[in-house]
Amino acid sequence: MMEVAAALLSTHAMVWGPEVLKPPMGMPFLLAAAACAWTLRLLPAETYAHDLPSMHDLVALAFLVDLSQMAVHAASHAAPWLRASHALHHRATRPCPKDAFATGWIDAFTQMICPLFTSLWIVKPSRTTAMLFGLLYSHWLVYLHSDWPDHPVRFLVTPSGHKSHHARPDTHLSHIFRCA
């Protein structure tokens, strides 16, 4: 578990700067939840075994996390008890990397922790695959809040597409795969 924390914290600080690590409900909350789940053996047995990364499991995790996170994201714009917590994230109408994980505690739990842990139980990836997905996905979320140029892959969400969501919160609710 320590290698996960070290990889996430060090790569995020190097690529995006240390300010992305500061919101307590972001990376620290995610790592605390992962450490608790790991220590209490609440993850699928497969997740404790080292193995080569599985492209199939990476794609399945991306699809399931994005689908479930998009559903919760839509609810967080509709349900008043979720909206108040998610509104903290939307204070940034022109988001930057430090805003990627800046949100309320309820929003962090329902939109980050629940989709991730549910997807881990459905896919049951190896430890290596789960770690790789966590590293790639967390950087992807920060990239979407950056001023870096849009990538050319048409079916994936871009930073400009996500910025339009921050300007008009009822649009562009997914985080990985572009929906109409």
Side-chain angles (χ1 to χ4, degrees), residues 33-149:
C36 286
W38 181 266
T39 303
L40 297 172
R41 309 281 299 171
L42 299 175
L43 298 171
E46 295 84 352
T47 306
Y48 294 92
H50 284 286
D51 204 353
L52 291 174
S54 163
M55 185 58 74
H56 174 269
D57 288 354
L58 283 171
V59 171
L61 284 169
F63 178 75
L64 287 170
V65 167
D66 198 39
L67 185 65
S68 56
Q69 194 173 42
M70 184 174 63
V72 174
H73 195 184
S76 71
H77 285 278
W81 66 278
L82 289 172
R83 189 180 317 127
S85 182
H86 187 60
L88 298 173
H89 180 68
H90 278 280
R91 288 183 298 194
T93 55
R94 293 280 310 147
C96 61
K98 70 177 177 58
D99 300 316
F101 296 106
T103 192
W105 294 101
I106 294 170
D107 190 49
F109 180 76
T110 59
Q111 222 184 126
M112 184 171 50
I113 304 296
C114 289
L116 178 60
F117 283 81
T118 301
S119 299
L120 287 173
W121 269 99
I122 293 169
V123 176
K124 298 180 187 321
S126 71
R127 178 180 184 166
T128 310
T129 301
M131 288 172 48
L132 181 58
F133 176 77
L135 191 62
L136 293 172
Y137 188 53
S138 61
H139 278 284
W140 180 259
L141 292 174
V142 179
Y143 164 68
L144 291 180
H145 291 83
S146 76
D147 285 327
W148 285 17

Side-chain angles (χ1 to χ4, degrees), residues 8-17 20-21 27 101 138-139 142:
L8 283 171
L9 295 174
S10 63
T11 60
H12 277 73
M14 284 188 294
V15 174
W16 307 108
V20 300
L21 305 174
M27 195 66 69
F101 296 106
S138 61
H139 278 284
V142 179

